[in-house]
Amino acid sequence: MAPARDEDRSADERTTVVNHPNWRLPEVPAFELTSPDFRDGGILPIWARAADAGGEDRSPTLHWTGAPRETRSYALTVYDPDAPTGSGFWHWAVYDLPAEVESLPAGAGDPQNGRLPAGAVTLPNEYRQPRFTGAAPPAGHGEHRYVFTVSALDVPHLDVPADATPAVLGFLMREHVLARAQLTGVQETPS
């Protein structure tokens, strides 16, 4: 059965946005992203929560495999599509990860600890801090998804302004994404 055309949908159906991090992104092949710290759809470790929410703002270990041979670099983002902002919440964005890199150790989200590979660039997150900010959903707001995405790119370097947001990174890399790997962790703050 063919999907309904926009003109055949009600006004409410046309304005309802699917709360999915890949909504309106180009469809590309998938490769695998895993972590020894949590399973896909599982609860993020307490230390991956924000410091002001009982955690350590520490990014988890990430491993990826199966990217296309044509990959020249990677970009990594962490996004909460469930944040009550109307636009989600970007927790981390790194680009120009070299093509030979296929993992990041726990804590790589803090550029000051030297765990990112040479040449990798971290953009400011929603708090305008160039680092990983841990999970901190509002109390009683329910479970939030934290979507870790590694995008395989067909260029070794992206020309991104130093003060750009992760959303701008997404726009600038859009035409260069060869494949995408995703891993989702969840967290909740009880009332």
Side-chain angles (χ1 to χ4, degrees), residues 26 28 70-73 151-159 169-179:
V28 294
E70 301 81 21
T71 300
R72 307 273 314 275
S73 69
S151 298
L153 307 177
D154 66 1
V155 292
H157 172 73
L158 287 170
D159 189 18
L169 170 64
F171 181 76
L172 293 174
M173 73 181 187
R174 180 180 173 90
E175 301 303 319
H176 298 288
V177 177
L178 297 169

Side-chain angles (χ1 to χ4, degrees), residues 11-150:
D12 286 340
E13 289 173 320
R14 285 193 305 271
T15 59
T16 300
V17 176
V18 177
N19 192 15
H20 193 281
N22 297 337
W23 185 71
R24 291 212 168 178
L25 291 180
E27 288 188 31
V28 294
F31 59 104
E32 186 175 15
L33 177 60
T34 61
S35 176
D37 301 324
F38 67 101
R39 63 176 176 74
D40 191 33
I43 298 171
L44 287 172
I46 293 298
W47 46 260
R49 288 180 64 89
D52 61 0
E56 301 173 18
D57 281 316
R58 186 162 34 120
S59 59
T61 302
L62 299 171
H63 300 283
W64 54 93
T65 59
R69 273 192 320 234
E70 301 81 21
T71 300
R72 307 273 314 275
S73 69
Y74 295 100
L76 164 68
T77 58
V78 180
Y79 176 67
D80 172 4
D82 304 314
T85 64
S87 60
F89 194 96
W90 294 96
H91 286 259
W92 192 22
V94 181
Y95 68 97
D96 286 359
L97 290 162
E100 63 273 7
V101 171
E102 292 186 332
S103 67
L104 291 177
D110 182 353
Q112 294 185 14
N113 68 21
R115 293 184 181 169
L116 284 174
V121 180
T122 303
L123 289 175
N125 58 32
E126 295 288 350
Y127 287 124
R128 306 309 296 149
Q129 299 171 344
R131 64 179 328 276
F132 172 81
T133 295
H141 197 257
E143 189 172 86
H144 281 217
R145 295 167 291 160
Y146 297 86
V147 182
F148 292 75
T149 302
V150 175

